[in-house]
Amino acid sequence: MNILITGCNGQLGNEMQVLEKSHPQHTYYNTDVAELDITDKEAVEAFVEENRIDGIVNCAAYTAVDKAEENQELCDLLNNVAPGYLAAAIGRRGGWMIQVSTDYVFNGTNHRPYVETDPVCPNSVYGSTKLAGEQSVQAACSKSMIIRTAWLYSTYGNNFVKTMIRLGKEKTELGVIFDQIGTPTYARDLAVAIFAAIEQGVKPGIYHFSNEGVISWYDFTKAIHRIAGITDCKVRPLHTSEYPTPANRPHFSVLDKTKIKQTYGIEVPYWEESLKECIERLIIEA
């Protein structure tokens, strides 16, 4: 197959490129804005046709959650309009598309893990635009797969894990929110799940994916420091109210992964095992 990967310079896009080497039977077109502006409808249509693209994995997104509150138009363009262009272009070719979405489509008031059929209710611009993107993709491409994920981190790009390691080395004390609960997602594990879908055939619908387990940002930070060998930084628990942000964060972001596990027969690693793997890679690369 000829597969288009958008947002190739991001966390997930980079992990996809690593795993491509294990799937050499396909031809990959790894693009970011320099190679393909996905907000340009004509450019998207031309690229998909000229390169005879069979499937698209859209890893591109506007992910600056707080900045999105004042950049609603740009956020909607990248998270909703552009995915719609990609879906329409590949839909005309009878191809498939995997759209990466987010736990922010929910308002975070659940007390049990979210399943794919739970009512959506975003309470931020970021969440609203990502939900609109899901709907645009599904409307334009009958062979579309939506994968909602949460708390994404990687050895690539800027993310919570790398930030906490840096701050842990720079500061003697750190305050981290303890009343927001979720599950981290190692981007490489998500990339493995995406390749499972590609190899077995994309089965349309909405799916949830994160690592296994449940944790708070505070406990996650404690684990990051313990695994990274940081001992001189005291981590204090904070209430969300003590750390106000422009965008609302879901207080509960745990996703139920049963559907994707059963559909593709994949095993999902426990969050701490994946965190150790990521930090080991960061130490080696440093």
Side-chain angles (χ1 to χ4, degrees):
M1 289 185 287
N2 294 328
I3 301 174
L4 167 61
I5 312 283
T6 62
C8 72
N9 292 336
Q11 295 186 83
L12 180 58
N14 269 296
E15 297 289 7
M16 290 293 293
Q17 291 185 76
V18 171
L19 293 186
E20 284 169 11
K21 299 177 181 68
S22 305
H23 302 267
Q25 68 271 34
H26 306 303
T27 301
Y28 301 95
Y29 295 84
N30 296 299
T31 68
D32 216 290
V33 66
E35 295 80 27
L36 175 64
D37 179 2
I38 61 171
T39 68
D40 183 333
K41 186 169 180 281
E42 286 73 26
V44 167
E45 290 171 351
F47 191 98
V48 168
E49 284 300 326
E50 288 168 11
N51 295 291
R52 303 179 64 81
I53 300 298
D54 299 299
I56 298 174
V57 181
N58 182 28
C59 303
Y62 185 105
T63 57
V65 175
D66 288 325
K67 289 181 180 178
E69 293 297 312
E70 55 191 46
N71 290 310
Q72 187 166 352
E73 193 172 334
L74 177 59
C75 190
D76 186 69
L77 181 62
L78 285 167
N79 291 347
N80 172 27
V81 178
Y85 292 159
L86 291 165
I90 196 66
R92 277 192 289 273
R93 286 187 54 79
W96 52 264
M97 178 166 168
I98 297 176
Q99 167 72 3
V100 181
S101 192
T102 174
D103 60 300
Y104 276 73
V105 300
F106 302 111
N107 62 12
T109 58
N110 253 21
H111 297 287
R112 56 157 181 76
Y114 281 98
V115 294
E116 290 82 356
T117 53
D118 279 331
V120 288
C121 185
N123 61 359
S124 66
V125 168
Y126 171 68
S128 298
T129 59
K130 289 297 284 184
L131 175 58
E134 289 185 9
Q135 295 164 345
S136 294
V137 168
Q138 289 188 302
C141 178
S142 61
K143 297 178 182 176
S144 60
M145 178 181 184
I146 310 296
I147 305 181
R148 295 172 180 153
T149 191
W151 294 26
L152 199 67
Y153 70 92
S154 165
T155 57
Y156 300 99
N158 298 314
N159 55 65
F160 187 82
V161 171
K162 292 167 82 170
T163 298
M164 290 303 108
I165 290 174
R166 176 176 57 80
L167 292 177
K169 291 176 179 177
E170 292 174 358
K171 297 179 177 291
T172 56
E173 189 171 294
L174 204 55
V176 182
I177 290 168
F178 79 95
D179 58 357
Q180 292 176 18
I181 308 297
T183 310
T185 307
Y186 183 29
R188 184 157 303 185
D189 293 335
L190 176 55
V192 168
I194 289 172
F195 269 104
I198 292 171
E199 296 307 333
Q200 295 178 41
V202 169
K203 298 175 177 67
I206 297 174
Y207 298 81
H208 288 172
F209 185 91
S210 67
N211 283 117
E212 297 283 20
V214 180
I215 198 168
S216 72
W217 289 112
Y218 166 76
D219 293 302
F220 191 33
T221 302
K222 294 283 283 185
I224 292 166
H225 285 186
R226 172 170 48 79
I227 294 167
I230 296 168
T231 57
D232 297 330
C233 179
K234 181 182 179 183
V235 182
R236 294 184 296 104
L238 294 180
H239 287 92
T240 297
S241 58
E242 296 177 80
Y243 192 80
T245 55
N248 292 315
R249 261 72 173 172
H251 278 272
F252 187 88
S253 288
V254 184
L255 302 174
D256 188 306
K257 279 81 67 175
T258 303
K259 182 179 178 182
I260 199 166
K261 287 190 288 187
Q262 290 182 345
T263 302
Y264 292 103
I266 58 176
E267 287 190 18
V268 179
Y270 180 56
W271 69 264
E272 190 168 354
E273 295 166 6
S274 293
L275 178 62
K276 285 177 181 175
E277 182 183 319
C278 180
I279 290 177
E280 285 169 6
R281 283 201 168 104
L282 284 171
I283 291 169
I284 291 168
E285 290 169 9

